[in-house]
Amino acid sequence: AIASSTYTVGSSEPVEVGASVKNLAMTGLTLNCVPNLSLHLNNTLAPEIGLGRLAPCSLAPGKLEVTGSLGAYMTAAQYGVLTNFAGGLSTSLDFDIGETAGKVLSVSIPTVVLENLRVVSTSDNGSVLIETDFRGIQSSSLANSVIQFTRNGS
């Protein structure tokens, strides 16, 4: 270590991921009622096969794929904003998981492309239930990574 350097010791306290998903924001919209959210991380490791070998010679690191789906209730006006991003334009997706102070996990996917955005149902009061699939894209704001997990005190 460099004599003048300092670092913060990591906490050994586990993050408690409960049933609470909150502070979900996409495209500048805050979505307060989210009935379902799935998040899939796939490292896509690539086995390298050589001639005359039954087993791989090595295992090359792959690209991290981040995909998922989201269901959310929103107003018709919010849905109108969201449809602008259904044609391949990128947006962002951020949310927190957990309730206990100091044990909340914040998830940030700065560059997301929406796929298969659809209205599941509408109500008489104007709310819309939507579902969409999404795919995280490498982001320059994360040094070309796709997703960031942060423990916070919320």
Side-chain angles (χ1 to χ4, degrees):
I2 299 172
S4 62
S5 66
T6 61
Y7 71 97
T8 304
V9 177
S11 172
S12 62
E13 193 70 28
V15 172
E16 291 182 2
V17 178
S20 176
V21 173
K22 58 184 181 177
N23 302 326
L24 193 138
M26 179 186 293
T27 317
L29 303 173
T30 300
L31 306 176
N32 295 321
C33 189
V34 178
N36 60 65
L37 173 66
S38 69
L39 182 63
H40 305 277
L41 306 175
N42 183 2
N43 198 11
T44 67
L45 296 176
E48 296 176 341
I49 306 295
L51 289 175
R53 299 185 69 125
L54 294 176
C57 302
S58 65
L59 196 59
K63 265 189 176 171
L64 177 66
E65 291 180 350
V66 177
T67 59
S69 62
L70 167 72
Y73 288 96
M74 58 183 56
T75 66
Q78 289 174 316
Y79 177 69
V81 170
L82 196 60
T83 57
N84 294 326
F85 294 90
L89 294 175
S90 64
T91 181
S92 62
L93 176 62
D94 301 286
F95 57 93
D96 294 334
I97 305 171
E99 289 287 338
T100 307
K103 297 181 180 183
V104 173
L105 185 66
S106 293
V107 179
S108 176
I109 310 171
T111 308
V112 170
V113 174
L114 302 181
E115 300 170 341
N116 196 23
L117 175 64
R118 59 210 174 271
V119 174
V120 176
S121 65
T122 57
S123 70
D124 292 339
N125 69 0
S127 65
V128 178
L129 172 60
I130 63 99
E131 288 184 350
T132 187
D133 301 319
F134 61 86
R135 178 173 305 280
I137 307 295
Q138 288 186 338
S139 172
S140 60
S141 67
L142 293 180
N144 291 323
S145 292
V146 180
I147 190 168
Q148 179 176 8
F149 296 96
T150 308
R151 175 199 294 260
N152 65 36
S154 297

